[in-house]
């Protein structure tokens, strides 16, 4: 009979070792190795298997697959995506929720992960059965938050709310009657949600799996995966083995029962999702919910999506009754164009397939120290250093003795190379104390030789700029794109872009 043995697993990175180490040899974290019992494996008839594969006589019988199928043998089952009730979330997911998919949502504490998913559950419960597993809160706490967020929108139950809303203003008697009908309709919406939204305060994995198999909801929400506990493992909840096994069990049930599953994940102090990296490999979609603690807007990004484009962006705003969608996010990241200040330039960034018009602000001033300061907000620091070096070497602007500060409006993280030209023009405008035309957008990547390099999705960016009322655009030469109402200026070098952008400004 085979003997069982123990292994030591790191709680930080999931590395396994047959012996204990005070410091993990893989991630160098201290006191993170915990002992786990590994079940014994039955002996396999290896000799017989080798004899069949090597020494056995060859036969004329053709090889046949046992379980494998060709792609043409797999039956097609077209499935419509489920609407979450929020267009921004559906956009990030690639057009809606795919039945049977696993979505992992991570973010800093207090950013609004539970609020967003409770609002989604509230909207979807008007049409489908939803199970909300709250492993970190009691049922009473979740109900208090649900009451604060308010009932489901009246338009969410068979679309009747709009017909009631459009009948007001006819007279006090008729208006009072219609308001009473609207209140009655909203109460019916709350009752419909209450009959389809189920709450389960539980951390035991086996109990949750039995509830999912019994209830068979269309959508299930696990808040959060780090709080679940599998009794067959000796490690504590939130450990690498617990997170891995719980996620694997939930994935198998979701795929087998065609349940769309949302999983909330904690993040580490570095901003990555806590637990093993295999957690992100198991799920179909990984979303990050982020935002500035001094601002009310929240950004929902997709970093992995098997059913849509990655790096999509959804924008929400935190209000008194939860999260509200922002249909025109460019207005959020675009400053006041009436107040002209030197050092301000406008770019068009792309997050996935969404173009965003963003205002960049630069300030160049004499330094008071032996080493000048460089500071960025929303712009990659090393990218700024590279652009400053190009401006000094290729354009001849002396910036080595000057402090340089660059920031994006609204704190939006702009990391793509298409923002290089806007950063360069704003820095030069601040250095020369010149104004950039507020109706001008700048799009292009700056090379180390001072050239303006082509970028992707140019037509999509230009259409967004034209829609917001911009009249001119400086773009890389060679990308022949024409947009009605927008004057296109093609340049091949940064010097030419500076000459066109600052021409006639004083």
């Amino acid at each position: 009979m085979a003997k069982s043995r123990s292994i030591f697993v790191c709680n930080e990175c999931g590395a396994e070792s047959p012996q204990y180490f005070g410091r993990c040899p893989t991630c160098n974290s201290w006191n993170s190795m915990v002992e786990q019992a590994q079940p014994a494996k039955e002996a396999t008839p290896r000799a017989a298997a080798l004899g069949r594969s090597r020494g056995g006589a060859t036969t004329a019988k053709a090889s046949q697959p046992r379980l494998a199928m060709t792609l043409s043998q797999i039956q097609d089952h077209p499935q419509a995506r489920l609407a979450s009730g929020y267009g921004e979330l559906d956009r990030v997911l690639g057009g809606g929720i795919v039945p049977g998919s696993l979505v992992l949502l991570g973010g800093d504490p207090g950013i609004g992960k539970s609020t967003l998913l409770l609002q989604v559950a509230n909207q979807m419960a008007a049409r489908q059965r939803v199970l909300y597993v709250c492993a970190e809160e009691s049922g009473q706490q979740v109900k208090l938050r649900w009451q604060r967020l308010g009932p489901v929108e009246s338009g969410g139950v068979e679309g009747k709310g709009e017909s009631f809303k459009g009948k007001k203003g006819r007279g006090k008697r008729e208006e009072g009657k219609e308001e009473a009908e609207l209140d009655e309709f909203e109460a019916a919406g709350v009752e419909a949600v209450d009959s389809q939204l189920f709450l389960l305060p539980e951390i035991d994995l086996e109990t949750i799996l039995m509830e999912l198999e019994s209830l068979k909801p269309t959508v299930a929400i696990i808040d959060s995966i780090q709080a679940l506990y599998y009794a067959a493992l000796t490690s504590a909840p939130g450990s690498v083995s617990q997170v891995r096994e719980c996620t694997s069990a939930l994935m198998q049930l979701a795929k087998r029962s065609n349940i769309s599953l949302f999983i909330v994940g904690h993040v580490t102090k570095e901003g990555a999702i806590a637990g093993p990296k295999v957690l992100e490999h198991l799920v179909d979609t990984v979303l990050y919910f982020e935002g500035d603690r001094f601002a009310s807007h929240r950004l929902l990004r997709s970093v992995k999506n098997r059913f849509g484009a990655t790096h999509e962006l959804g924008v929400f705003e935190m209000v008194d009754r939860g999260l509200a969608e922002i249909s025109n996010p460019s207005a959020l990241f675009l400053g006041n164009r009436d107040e002209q200040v030197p050092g301000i330039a406008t770019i068009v960034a792309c997050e996935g397939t969404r173009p965003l018009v963003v205002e960049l602000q630069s300030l160049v001033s004499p330094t008071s120290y032996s080493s000048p300061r460089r500071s960025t907000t929303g712009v990659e620091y090393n990218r700024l250093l590279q652009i400053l070096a190009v401006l000094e070497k290729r354009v001849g602007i002396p910036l080595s003795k000057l402090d340089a500060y660059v920031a994006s409006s609204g704190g939006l993280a702009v990391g793509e190379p298409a923002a290089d030209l806007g950063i360069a023009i704003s820095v030069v405008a601040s250095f020369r104390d010149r104004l950039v035309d507020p109706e001008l957008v700048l799009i292009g990547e700056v090379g180390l030789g001072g050239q303006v390099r082509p970028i992707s999705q140019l037509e999509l960016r230009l259409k967004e700029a034209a829609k917001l009322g911009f009249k001119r655009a400086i773009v890389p030469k060679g990308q022949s794109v024409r947009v009605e109402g927008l004057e296109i200026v093609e340049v091949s070098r940064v010097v030419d872009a500076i000459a066109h952008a600052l021409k006639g400004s004083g």
Side-chain angles (χ1 to χ4, degrees), residues 92-115:
V92 175
L93 293 175
I97 304 170
V98 176
S101 61
L102 266 75
V103 180
L104 176 62
L105 176 62
D108 293 333
I111 202 68
K113 304 183 295 296
S114 300
T115 300

Side-chain angles (χ1 to χ4, degrees), residues 144-396:
L144 287 174
R145 182 151 47 89
W146 177 75
Q147 292 173 341
R148 177 177 59 83
L149 295 176
V152 65
E153 294 180 3
S154 54
V157 184
E158 299 185 10
K160 296 182 180 179
E162 294 296 330
S163 62
F164 282 115
K165 292 179 181 178
K167 295 181 180 178
K168 293 186 178 181
R170 299 182 180 178
K172 290 185 178 180
R173 180 175 298 180
E174 293 184 4
E175 184 177 342
K177 181 179 179 182
E178 288 164 358
E179 286 182 353
E181 292 177 352
L182 180 58
D183 293 339
E184 182 180 352
F185 175 72
E186 290 180 346
V190 174
E191 184 178 352
V193 169
D194 186 60
S195 62
Q196 294 288 337
L197 179 57
F198 295 86
L199 195 65
L200 178 63
E202 184 58 63
I203 65 171
D204 184 64
L205 176 64
E206 295 181 354
T207 304
I208 295 172
L209 294 177
M210 289 189 293
E211 186 69 24
L212 288 170
E213 291 180 346
S214 175
L215 185 62
K216 289 184 172 52
T218 305
V219 177
I221 298 171
I222 309 296
D223 187 9
S224 65
I225 190 64
Q226 277 82 8
L228 298 191
Y229 177 72
Y230 183 34
L233 300 178
T234 58
S235 55
S239 62
V240 171
S241 56
Q242 288 282 358
V243 172
R244 181 177 60 239
E245 294 301 325
C246 291
T247 305
S248 178
L250 290 170
M251 179 197 67
Q252 294 176 16
L253 178 61
K255 300 297 184 182
R256 184 173 64 251
S257 304
N258 207 31
I259 299 174
S260 301
L261 198 60
F262 284 87
I263 299 176
V264 177
H266 297 170
V267 296
T268 62
K269 58 184 179 181
E270 290 83 12
I273 294 180
K277 199 65 178 178
V278 70
L279 176 62
E280 299 184 32
H281 290 287
L282 285 174
V283 300
D284 299 312
T285 306
V286 180
L287 308 179
Y288 278 90
F289 207 34
E290 56 191 40
D292 190 351
R293 61 190 180 98
F294 299 108
S296 61
H297 64 270
R298 302 288 186 266
L299 305 178
L300 183 65
R301 298 179 184 270
S302 67
V303 297
K304 172 189 175 182
N305 192 353
R306 290 173 177 164
F307 311 112
T310 56
H311 302 290
E312 284 287 355
L313 181 71
V315 186
F316 296 84
E317 183 180 9
M318 184 65 75
V319 295
D320 57 345
R321 299 191 70 177
L323 290 162
E325 297 178 283
I326 297 180
S327 57
N328 185 19
S330 293
L332 179 66
F333 305 113
L334 189 61
N336 188 0
R337 294 158 63 185
D338 297 331
E339 298 180 5
Q340 300 186 27
V341 180
I344 293 181
T346 305
I347 65 169
V348 184
C350 263
E351 294 288 343
T353 58
R354 161 168 277 175
L356 293 174
V357 180
V358 183
E359 180 186 272
L360 295 179
Q361 306 168 358
S362 295
L363 177 63
V364 177
S365 62
T367 183
S368 302
Y369 307 95
S370 58
S371 178
R373 297 189 60 189
R374 278 84 167 92
S375 177
T376 61
T377 302
V379 178
E380 188 178 352
Y381 178 76
N382 292 330
R383 201 76 186 175
L384 172 63
L385 298 181
Q386 178 179 311
I387 294 173
L388 294 179
V390 171
L391 291 175
E392 183 155 4
K393 179 71 175 179
R394 306 300 181 187
V395 186

